[in-house]
């Protein structure tokens, strides 16, 4: 069996540049006031923190950040085999009612993760508006969900996947395309 | 990237003796992250939506039954409660017939408390639904053991080399057995302390130190888990009187204040104030008794989450895999 092939789609400098562009676009789309960036565990959380720093670094109002672990809202939870590790959801103590939330995730693919995130947020309150920002949109949606802010759109070969790496989890920053194993 | 997963627990939770250190740690870590759900405005997540759970309590219980029921409802399960009084069991139906009739109504999990040691395993081997032991005779009470471990870990961090003494009626206590198994697997040093009449004859085989005087136990321990003195033991001639028990083995304020280090005090409840534990201690700064109750819901949510769906299709009797060791 051949090893799956990995190809760098974006290096650290390019990810930083794309995140800075996303930060500007988020401010443009939302007005940039009283923002709450909610990262989806795991890597969406680190991306949300970086976007928040980019917004305040560019002179904007520093957004609040939170995290969303959607494990318990997955629609395949009872059929995925071994139980997924449950992470923690952290939202501001003041709640989310009436606020403008931006869900931040690393890769938008089927849309099921975002659907789970929306369901979970509904259990915490009624935001005025929810937008979606993703670093990578790889298409192939299974639900009618689209992002408001996209870092980059990529096409992925059948059976392949996109992996976003963040230093806090993976030790480096970047985006890699992992192609399926060649038939052995 | 693949989502990290939790070690497989098997179909049933029968006791802590059959679990590995990794499995116990995984349950505690999962429970840690379930605590937050009980603080939400809507204390419910859709994990067990569509699952039906039967709480079959053939012995009296308030705290454990309600704790399980909270856990089940917070995971959005449908629940049914049955007890021996007023059920077909009172008419002479066997435990297995009761369970099989319930399974015929398409249930998914059974939480069982029963006076006979081994009843949970007996049931687990004969029905396809998940079985969770909520206390079987003198054998084990695994979720109580787990919530005790979680509460100790919350306050003292990793349990390796921590000194924990279980005080009181160890002989009749399923809580003591679950505690001993769980604590030892997580690397704690475990001792027991109580009158000789209330300690098992082969207590040494459990791998614990034995103290005959509560003062010595308190001098040694970082943590005391004070067991309820079951008042019916009085009639059995195990102790001369409740007053004497309190005088010789009671966890009193004077004894706790004389401890060389900051003691942590647990009690599985319900308490006999003024017998095994004084009110000054139960309500004092060393006590984490109410936190045990809070942690009980999170631990039971974790167990339900980790076991649900591990059962095969119904009508296939299976045997639990038990330990992965």
């Amino acid at each position: 069996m051949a090893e799956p092939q990995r190809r760098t789609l974006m290096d650290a400098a390019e990810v930083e540049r794309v995140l800075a562009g996303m930060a500007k676009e988020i401010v443009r789309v939302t007005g940039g006031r009283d923002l709450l960036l909610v990262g989806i565990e795991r890597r969406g959380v680190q991306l949300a923190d970086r976007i928040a720093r980019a917004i305040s670094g560019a002179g904007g109002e520093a957004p609040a950040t939170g995290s969303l672990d959607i494990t318990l809202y997955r629609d395949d939870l009872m059929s995925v085999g071994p139980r997924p590790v449950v992470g923690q959801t952290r939202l501001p103590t003041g709640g989310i009612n009436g606020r403008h939330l931006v869900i931040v995730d690393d890769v938008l693919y089927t849309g099921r993760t975002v659907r789970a995130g929306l369901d979970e947020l509904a259990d915490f309150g009624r935001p005025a508006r929810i937008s979606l920002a993703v670093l990578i949109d790889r298409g192939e949606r299974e639900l009618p969900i689209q992002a408001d802010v996209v870092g980059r759109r990529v096409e992925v070969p059948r059976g392949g996947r996109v992996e976003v790496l963040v230093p806090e989890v993976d030790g480096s920053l970047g985006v890699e395309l992992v192609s399926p194993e060649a038939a052995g | 990237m693949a989502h990290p997963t939790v070690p497989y627990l098997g179909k049933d939770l029968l006791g802590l003796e059959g679990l590995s250190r990794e499995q116990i740690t995984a349950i505690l870590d999962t429970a840690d992250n379930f605590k937050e759900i009980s603080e939400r405005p809507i204390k419910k997540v859709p994990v067990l939506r569509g699952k039906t759970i039967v709480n079959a309590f053939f012995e009296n219980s308030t705290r454990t039954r309600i704790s399980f029921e909270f856990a089940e409802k917070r995971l959005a399960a449908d629940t049914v409660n049955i007890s021996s009084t007023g059920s077909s069991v009172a008419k002479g139906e066997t435990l297995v017939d009761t369970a099989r009739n319930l399974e015929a109504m398409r249930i998914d999990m059974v939480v069982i408390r029963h006076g006979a040691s081994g009843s949970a395993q007996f049931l687990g081997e004969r029905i396809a639904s998940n079985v969770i032991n909520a206390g079987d005779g003198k054998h084990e009470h695994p979720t109580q053991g787990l919530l005790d471990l979680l509460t100790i870990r919350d306050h003292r961090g990793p349990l390796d080399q921590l000194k924990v003494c279980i005080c009181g009626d160890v002989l009749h206590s399923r809580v003591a057995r679950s505690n001993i198994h769980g604590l030892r697997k997580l690397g704690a040093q475990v001792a027991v302390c109580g009158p000789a009449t209330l300690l098992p004859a082969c207590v040494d085989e459990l791998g614990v130190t034995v103290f005959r005087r509560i003062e010595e136990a308190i001098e040694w321990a970082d943590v005391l888990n004070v067991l309820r003195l079951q008042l019916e033991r009085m009639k059995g001639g195990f102790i001369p009187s409740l007053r004497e028990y309190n005088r010789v083995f009671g966890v009193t304020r004077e004894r706790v204040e004389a401890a060389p280090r900051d003691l942590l005090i647990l009690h599985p409840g319900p308490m006999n104030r003024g017998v095994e534990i004084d009110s000054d201690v139960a309500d004092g700064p060393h006590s984490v008794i109410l936190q045990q109750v809070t942690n009980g819901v999170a631990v039971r949510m974790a167990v339900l989450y980790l076991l649900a769906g591990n059962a095969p299709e119904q009508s296939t009797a299976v045997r639990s895999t038990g330990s992965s060791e």
Side-chain angles (χ1 to χ4, degrees), chain B residues 109-124:
Chain B
M109 305 177 96
V110 178
V111 176
I112 180 171
R113 166 165 292 190
H114 199 284
S117 303
S119 52
Q121 181 176 344
F122 176 84
L123 193 64

Side-chain angles (χ1 to χ4, degrees), chain B residues 7 17 36 60 66 83 97 102 115 125 127 134 154-155 162 166 168 176 238 245 275 277 291 310 320:
Chain B
E17 187 178 12
E36 173 261 327
N60 289 339
I66 286 174
S83 62
D97 281 340
L102 289 166
E125 288 170 352
I127 63 173
D154 283 349
H155 287 269
L162 198 72
I166 299 162
F238 290 94
Y245 183 87
V275 181
I277 189 166
Q291 196 186 325
N310 290 355
S320 166

